[in-house]
Amino acid sequence: MSPLRSVRLGPGADLAGFRAACRSLIAAGVPPEAVGWTEAREPGLFGAAGDESGPPLRLPRAVADLVPAVLPHRDPERHALLYRLIWRVGAGERHLLEVASDPLVHRLLRMRKAVGRDLHKMHAFLRFRRVPGAGARETFAAWFEPDHHILEAAAPFFVARFPAFDWSILTPDGSAHWDGAALVFGPPGRREDVPADDPFEDGWCHYYATTFNPARTNPAAMRAEMPKKYWRNLPEAAAIPALVRGAQGRVAAMIEREPVLPAKRVPARALAAMAEQEPDSLDALNAVIRRSEPLVPGATQAVLGEGPVGAAIAFVGEQPGDQEDLQGRPFVGPAGRLLTRAMAEAGLDRDAAYLTNAVKHFKFEQRGKRRIHQSPTAGEVSHYRWWLDRELAFVAPRLVVALGATAVLALTGRPIPVTRARGPAEFPGRPFRGFVTVHPSYLLRLPDEARDEAYVAFVDDLRRVRATAGTLTV
């Protein structure tokens, strides 16, 4: 028997169309076997099922949550299966989802699991690449081929993770675009519309290779967690075969190597060697920093200050983060992008300011493949003060902004709470005026409900920085 009602929905996860169709069909008493479901390229087409304005459906919470979790699945029968579930629940089987042995429930739960797994893979294996010459704001693009229609469900994750720069995600089914204010969806994209590589990937691949643990190599587990279908879009994947082939030899070499105690750091001796050189310019000072041993454990390179000599305003942060350590530039990670955005809103030109850190090397703790930031101690901040003092003397700013408590400690020699010192400040013995505010990483750690208000206060601080710098004379 041919279906009595035909419903045409938009492509992919057309949740609004499916809800409207279900309301109308249930109100008309149309059983599942009398409905034919099809997808059209034009969304929102509702066929012979009639009026879309049926009354809202009263469904158990578990069923209501299951519908949007299953709709992104590519199975063309998903609409019919979900409508059959809703029909049975409405007919009295209110606890149907608790019967895992029911064939309909079993199939729908497996579909939900497949969609969730696809979302996890997209979150883990999507790689953005910088789009050169895109405009004043940093712009990135990524290509991904999901198994299911998950783009709209996955995009908010990337908005929350990368809110400070513009990006586009292109897939064979559609595209998502974020401009720092609004998330919009568009037509399908092409792989060739995404850059083939970018400069950051060399650093990332080096980091991936150096954190690869040969003693824990398990190719089967690696393929289970990172299926080969994703490898062609992952820059680090090119290094995997060689790393796996060399794992056994590296483990053998590690076992044969005699254990040695880690070299003891002697900051006082390192500082004395630095002081003997007395650099006569910022370039000469930076050369000393580059070749000096880090005064905190970890780090791959010194991260130097950035900006013009003679800048009216200098910003001093705590220490470089993971991204800064990899790229060798200050304030390029999540906190740095937030600072750049706030400066722009406050009318400050980042390129005209000088940005540096109290500590010049990234201090971290290795946890698996992740490098977890560790705050420098007061002693470590003191060790780096030699560099900071001479750096600021060469730049000669009129106003120095201390971002966070570590910067205040470095500039004053005393631990002063930011909440007490926030605003215009005097740094004793310094030839410049001061201003104290929070570090942008503080804003990123706040819960969502408090972050917006704190960000507005941070931008207000930067506006006061601009106004204060404008009143100071050379």
Side-chain angles (χ1 to χ4, degrees):
M1 180 181 70
S2 61
L4 301 179
R5 299 292 180 100
S6 177
V7 178
R8 299 175 64 198
L9 299 176
D14 183 7
L15 180 59
F18 180 73
R19 281 175 172 166
C22 288
R23 289 177 180 179
S24 180
L25 293 168
I26 293 293
V30 182
E33 59 271 15
V35 183
W37 300 86
T38 59
E39 291 185 59
R41 294 307 304 173
E42 300 83 3
L45 289 178
F46 186 76
D51 185 10
E52 298 181 39
S53 58
L57 302 179
R58 296 184 177 276
L59 299 174
R61 170 61 65 181
V63 176
D65 291 342
L66 182 67
V67 171
V70 170
L71 274 178
H73 202 283
R74 285 195 189 273
D75 192 328
E77 296 184 8
R78 64 190 182 279
H79 304 106
L81 296 172
L82 286 170
Y83 182 61
R84 185 174 296 276
L85 174 73
I86 292 170
W87 177 269
R88 289 177 59 183
V89 168
E93 299 181 67
R94 301 289 294 178
H95 302 287
L96 177 59
L97 274 186
E98 298 176 13
V99 186
S101 60
D102 185 277
L104 174 63
V105 173
H106 178 70
R107 185 172 176 184
L108 287 171
L109 293 181
R110 291 189 63 184
M111 293 168 70
R112 179 178 67 181
K113 184 176 181 180
V115 171
R117 185 165 53 246
D118 201 29
L119 278 168
H120 170 72
K121 299 301 184 187
M122 186 170 184
H123 293 163
F125 300 138
L126 184 139
R127 295 290 185 268
F128 283 108
R129 287 168 173 165
R130 188 188 301 272
V131 179
R137 285 170 55 88
E138 288 187 304
T139 303
F140 296 79
W143 170 259
F144 196 78
E145 301 172 60
D147 290 334
H148 303 289
H149 302 287
I150 61 169
L151 180 60
E152 292 191 20
F157 168 85
F158 296 102
V159 170
R161 191 169 186 182
F162 306 111
F165 58 78
D166 299 348
W167 51 255
S168 295
I169 299 174
L170 310 182
T171 78
D173 301 314
S175 56
H177 308 274
W178 170 255
D179 64 359
L183 176 65
V184 297
F185 297 93
R190 303 179 304 164
R191 181 196 298 272
E192 50 267 33
D193 293 332
V194 174
D197 53 27
D198 72 9
F200 171 76
E201 288 186 357
D202 291 338
W204 163 243
C205 291
H206 174 73
Y207 170 67
Y208 182 85
T210 56
T211 58
F212 186 86
N213 188 344
R216 301 182 65 181
T217 302
N218 185 333
M222 291 173 64
R223 285 191 295 270
E225 292 299 320
M226 186 191 292
K228 279 195 170 183
K229 67 164 286 186
Y230 301 108
W231 286 23
R232 60 180 175 174
N233 296 321
L234 298 175
E236 65 270 28
I240 292 176
L243 292 171
V244 172
R245 286 195 302 269
Q248 187 173 357
R250 290 176 62 190
V251 171
M254 290 166 59
I255 294 174
E256 293 177 1
R257 190 180 303 126
E258 292 185 7
V260 294
L261 293 173
K264 184 177 181 181
R265 298 177 183 274
V266 187
R269 188 165 55 199
L271 288 168
M274 296 175 205
E276 291 174 0
Q277 302 178 54
E278 285 301 332
D280 58 2
S281 68
L282 183 60
D283 288 341
L285 175 68
N286 286 339
V288 174
I289 296 174
R290 285 193 185 95
R291 63 176 177 263
S292 297
E293 179 183 354
L295 301 180
V296 295
T300 59
Q301 61 182 315
V303 178
L304 310 177
E306 184 175 272
V309 171
I313 305 173
F315 289 83
V316 178
E318 180 191 78
Q319 68 167 359
D322 181 75
Q323 293 299 312
E324 288 79 4
D325 180 64
L326 293 175
Q327 298 187 43
R329 295 182 57 207
F331 293 97
V332 293
R337 291 192 291 270
L338 185 65
L339 174 63
T340 301
R341 173 184 161 197
M343 289 177 68
E345 290 188 27
L348 290 169
D349 181 3
R350 171 170 171 150
D351 293 337
Y354 189 82
L355 286 80
T356 190
N357 283 294
V359 171
K360 308 303 183 187
H361 292 90
F362 176 38
K363 181 183 179 183
F364 64 90
E365 176 185 353
Q366 191 77 48
R367 296 182 189 173
K369 294 185 178 182
R370 298 181 62 200
R371 304 194 300 175
I372 306 302
H373 164 275
Q374 284 191 313
S375 297
T377 65
E380 289 164 344
V381 173
S382 177
H383 295 330
Y384 279 89
R385 188 171 295 135
W386 182 90
W387 282 343
L388 181 64
D389 288 348
R390 282 152 183 79
E391 181 180 23
L392 293 177
F394 288 129
V395 176
R398 300 196 297 271
L399 178 67
V400 173
V401 181
L403 298 170
T406 298
V408 175
L409 175 62
L411 290 164
T412 65
R414 295 182 296 128
I416 302 174
V418 173
T419 52
R420 193 178 79 192
R422 190 167 185 172
E426 293 292 339
F427 298 146
R430 301 286 188 176
F432 44 73
R433 294 282 297 278
F435 194 99
V436 175
T437 185
V438 297
H439 195 283
S441 63
Y442 161 77
L443 304 178
L444 297 177
R445 295 192 296 269
L446 292 175
D448 292 343
E449 57 272 17
R451 186 178 304 161
D452 290 344
E453 182 178 352
Y455 177 76
V456 170
F458 183 56
V459 173
D460 286 342
D461 280 351
L462 297 186
R463 290 194 179 100
R464 294 172 67 192
V465 166
R466 186 186 67 170
T468 302
T471 64
L472 302 177
T473 57
V474 179

